[in-house]
């Protein structure tokens, strides 16, 4: 198990900024408004030659039992229990507050090594606040600026006493077996309050992610590792995606950008819809975005336990999906209940199958036979009285299946004919739901370099 450090402190002291600094990416949302972070978020940190797991947490705060604030506090307490050491962060510009003193006692009771970090220490005001922090009794403060990267050398010296340096190993190429053993990256997306976090909590068997009837509870894209029937998955819970015209607050814009980033880095994307309000305009927009990004798509119709159970409803779902999403014809669709745990096995199987199709390569001989037959059954149309000539097609890559079609006049081939080829390919090679890319390329004319003879 890697050495784990949890970042704790009251809200808005710069915990997420420090987290982003250590992982080398802007994974956690950062804003001046307190309380942006709600769930705990893990990342792989690197500090020179030190490698460890870092956990960003919600700001330590008090709230009535059962409230969202209280459950955020429980997430932080869980992170502390999982950690081997703690970064206790204060805002050096503001100085010590009663909340800092109260939560310093909380950190001491954890009975784990605690490093006191005086963040925002740049300038004279920061120096004074760092001096004040001696009163917490947590040892010498380490003045840092997470935003500007100051004090990282001093932080390294302190952390190196806790974390063993990484072994120097030469980088080697990943084998096919290791690649197959890697977890499938899955992003769960959808409109606000579709039940994304509830579904993931059921998969984990614990309330790892905060849920609430209030839309917009999830802000960061939180990644969790699960194993289902011997197969590993890395699942990203994301913020709900509303229409752009309805997004007004800066924080929601950041959350949406984080969700879209999760889609781009995922391999399979599960679009969750409410069973009672499915295939709304925003659902279709999200599905179209996923197809344009080239990700494998699975539709999950959640809250199925609230439906009346009339026969034929699953068949209706299939017809609706093919009607509203012709660009991903045959996309797998699963009825689930994240709250009751219904349909979970079918959903996970659909994810594995969609991942396999997304990685599929078509044998060249079979591709050529299909191509000749498709052209014979439906020849390309004539444009300006001239017949279009399609020479041959080849697959250039998978993830998603992508092909190059060599032809005589690429700009003259209508989109309707390309859709015919894609749909025929889906049916012939069993590529339901996954994006299929066909790029047109004009074949070079071998006689173009020869000049015409003078009369």
């Amino acid at each position: 198990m890697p050495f784990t450090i949890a970042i704790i402190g009251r809200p808005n002291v710069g915990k997420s900024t420090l987290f982003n600094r250590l992982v080398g990416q802007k994974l956690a949302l950062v804003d001046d408004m307190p309380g942006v972070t709600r769930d705990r978020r893990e990342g792989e940190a690197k500090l020179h030659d030190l490698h460890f797991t870092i956990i960003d947490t919600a700001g330590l705060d008090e709230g009535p039992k059962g409230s969202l604030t209280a459950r955020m506090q429980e997430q932080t307490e869980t992170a502390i229990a999982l950690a081997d050491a703690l970064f206790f962060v204060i805002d050096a510009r503001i100085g010590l507050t009663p909340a800092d003193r109260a939560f310093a006692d909380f950190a001491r009771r954890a009975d784990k090594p605690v490093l006191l970090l005086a963040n925002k220490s740049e300038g004279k005001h920061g120096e004074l606040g760092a001096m004040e922090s001696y009163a917490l009794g947590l040892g010498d403060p380490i003045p840092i600026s997470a935003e500007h990267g100051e004090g990282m050398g001093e932080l390294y010296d302190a952390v190196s006493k806790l974390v063993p340096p990484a072994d120097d190993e030469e980088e080697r190429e990943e084998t096919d077996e290791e690649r197959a053993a890697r977890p499938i990256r899955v992003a769960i997306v959808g409109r606000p309050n579709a039940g994304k976090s509830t579904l993931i909590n059921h998969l984990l068997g614990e309330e790892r992610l905060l849920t609430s009837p209030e839309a917009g509870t999830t802000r960061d894209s939180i990644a969790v590792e699960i194993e289902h029937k011997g197969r590993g998955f890395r699942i990203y819970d994301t913020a709900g995606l509303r229409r752009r015209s309805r997004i007004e607050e800066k924080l929601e814009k950041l959350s949406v950008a984080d969700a879209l980033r999760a889609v781009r880095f995922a391999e399979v994307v599960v679009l969750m819809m409410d069973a009672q309000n499915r295939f709304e305009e925003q659902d279709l927009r999200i599905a179209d975005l996923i197809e344009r990004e080239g990700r494998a798509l699975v539709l999950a119709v959640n809250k199925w336990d609230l439906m009346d159970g009339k026969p034929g409803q699953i068949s209706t779902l299939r017809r609706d999906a093919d009607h509203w999403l012709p660009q991903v014809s045959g996309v797998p669709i699963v009825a689930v209940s994240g709250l009751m745990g219904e349909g979970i096995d079918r959903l996970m199987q659909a994810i594995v199958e969609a991942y396999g199709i997304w990685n599929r390569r078509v044998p060249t001989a079979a591709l050529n036979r299909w191509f000749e037959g498709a052209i014979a059954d439906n020849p390309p149309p004539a444009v300006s009285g001239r017949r279009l000539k399609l020479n041959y097609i080849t697959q250039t890559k998978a993830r998603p299946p992508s092909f190059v079609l060599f032809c005589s006049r690429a700009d003259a081939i209508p989109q309707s004919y390309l859709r015919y080829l894609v749909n025929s390919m889906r049916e012939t090679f069993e590529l339901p739901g996954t994006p299929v890319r066909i790029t047109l390329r004009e074949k070079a004319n071998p006689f173009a370099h020869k000049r015409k003879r003078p009369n």
Side-chain angles (χ1 to χ4, degrees):
M1 289 291 291
F3 195 88
T4 302
I5 300 176
I7 308 174
I8 64 172
R10 60 180 178 79
N12 217 29
V13 294
K15 299 184 296 298
S16 294
T17 304
L18 177 60
F19 175 88
N20 288 341
R21 169 72 59 181
L22 293 174
V23 300
Q25 301 179 61
K26 291 185 178 181
L27 294 181
L29 297 185
V30 177
D31 193 74
D32 293 335
M33 185 179 73
V36 171
T37 302
R38 288 178 170 175
D39 294 284
R40 67 182 190 268
R41 181 168 197 161
E42 297 182 11
E44 299 305 315
K46 181 180 180 182
L47 195 58
H48 192 44
D49 59 345
L50 302 177
H51 296 263
F52 52 94
T53 297
I54 192 77
I55 306 178
D56 185 24
T57 66
L60 293 166
D61 209 346
E62 296 179 347
K65 187 175 181 180
S67 66
L68 182 61
T69 301
R71 288 188 289 140
M72 289 163 59
Q73 175 84 350
E74 291 171 3
Q75 291 283 331
T76 299
E77 292 173 359
T78 301
I80 291 173
L82 293 172
D84 299 300
L86 306 176
F87 285 166
F88 186 85
V89 183
I90 67 164
D91 187 333
R93 288 186 302 193
I94 294 177
L96 290 189
T97 67
D100 289 322
R101 298 178 189 275
F103 295 131
D105 294 335
F106 181 83
R108 273 192 291 269
R109 289 197 299 271
D111 195 26
K112 295 183 177 182
V114 180
L115 296 182
L116 175 60
L117 308 185
N119 192 28
K120 309 179 187 179
S121 290
E122 61 272 30
K124 292 183 178 179
H125 294 293
E127 293 177 6
L128 292 174
M131 296 297 291
E132 279 185 28
S133 62
Y134 278 100
L136 295 176
L138 293 175
D140 295 342
I142 303 172
I144 67 168
S145 171
E147 183 175 0
H148 299 105
E150 297 177 9
M152 293 298 110
E154 291 77 4
L155 181 59
Y156 170 83
D157 293 338
V159 175
S160 63
K161 298 175 183 177
L162 305 174
V163 182
D167 295 331
D168 290 330
E169 294 184 358
E170 291 186 5
E171 292 187 6
R172 57 185 178 82
E173 191 173 342
E174 188 179 41
T175 65
D176 292 339
E177 291 77 11
E178 290 172 331
R179 192 177 297 110
R182 277 191 295 131
I184 301 174
R185 298 194 301 274
V186 182
I188 311 291
V189 302
R191 289 182 285 121
N193 233 18
K196 301 180 289 295
S197 300
T198 302
L199 173 71
I200 298 175
N201 283 340
H202 190 91
L203 285 169
L204 292 170
E206 61 173 309
E207 192 178 349
R208 168 63 178 84
L209 302 169
L210 295 178
T211 59
S212 170
E214 177 190 353
T217 301
T218 300
R219 288 173 173 171
D220 284 287
S221 295
I222 305 298
V224 295
E225 301 271 357
I226 69 167
E227 186 173 301
H228 187 81
K229 294 188 176 181
R231 190 67 167 92
F233 300 85
R234 185 171 180 82
I235 298 184
Y236 295 81
D237 185 28
T238 64
L241 299 174
R242 297 196 297 166
R243 289 207 309 266
R244 184 178 299 178
S245 60
R246 293 188 176 182
I247 300 174
E248 297 177 355
E249 296 182 3
K250 173 187 174 185
L251 182 56
E252 186 176 359
K253 291 180 181 178
L254 293 173
S255 298
V256 168
D258 203 31
L260 296 179
R261 192 180 305 116
V263 169
R264 294 184 182 103
F265 283 96
E267 295 165 317
V268 180
V269 181
V270 176
L271 171 56
M272 291 199 70
M273 296 180 286
D274 191 312
Q276 296 174 312
N277 300 285
R278 55 186 185 264
F279 294 108
E280 292 197 349
E281 182 182 0
Q282 183 64 358
D283 296 324
L284 304 182
R285 289 177 182 271
I286 297 171
D288 189 59
L289 167 70
I290 296 166
E291 192 277 337
R292 284 188 280 112
E293 289 293 339
R295 307 298 100 181
L297 174 63
V298 175
L299 302 179
V301 182
N302 194 28
K303 306 179 184 179
W304 197 250
D305 53 305
L306 302 180
M307 302 299 289
D308 51 22
K310 292 181 181 178
Q313 290 189 345
I314 298 297
S315 299
T316 301
L317 282 182
R318 177 73 271 157
R319 288 196 301 270
D320 289 347
D322 289 339
H323 171 72
W324 291 109
L325 298 171
Q327 70 271 40
V328 283
S329 177
V331 60
I333 184 167
V334 185
V336 300
S337 170
L339 184 63
M340 308 301 293
E342 299 172 2
I344 300 298
D345 288 343
R346 293 194 300 273
L347 176 62
M348 302 310 290
Q349 182 62 31
I351 291 172
V352 173
E353 291 174 359
Y355 177 73
I357 294 171
W358 190 64
N359 282 275
R360 184 169 298 169
R361 280 192 171 273
V362 179
T364 302
L367 186 62
N368 288 329
R369 287 195 298 270
W370 161 80
F371 186 58
E372 291 173 2
I375 294 176
D377 292 341
N378 185 10
V383 178
S384 300
R386 296 168 57 193
R387 177 70 64 182
L388 297 174
K389 186 176 182 180
L390 307 185
N391 301 102
Y392 61 93
I393 191 170
T394 184
Q395 184 171 5
T396 54
K397 72 180 188 71
R399 305 166 64 92
S402 301
F403 305 84
V404 172
L405 172 58
F406 291 86
C407 56
S408 59
R409 288 183 292 158
D411 58 344
I413 296 180
Q415 288 297 316
S416 58
Y417 194 78
L418 290 180
R419 284 196 297 271
Y420 156 71
L421 292 177
V422 168
N423 290 332
S424 176
M425 191 182 299
R426 285 189 197 280
E427 185 177 349
T428 304
F429 300 115
E430 298 181 349
L431 300 171
T434 195
V436 175
R437 302 285 189 256
I438 295 182
T439 303
L440 300 176
R441 187 173 300 169
E442 294 188 7
K443 190 175 181 182
N445 183 353
F447 304 103
H449 66 286
K450 296 186 177 180
R451 296 180 179 179
K452 291 184 179 182
R453 293 181 178 179
N455 294 332

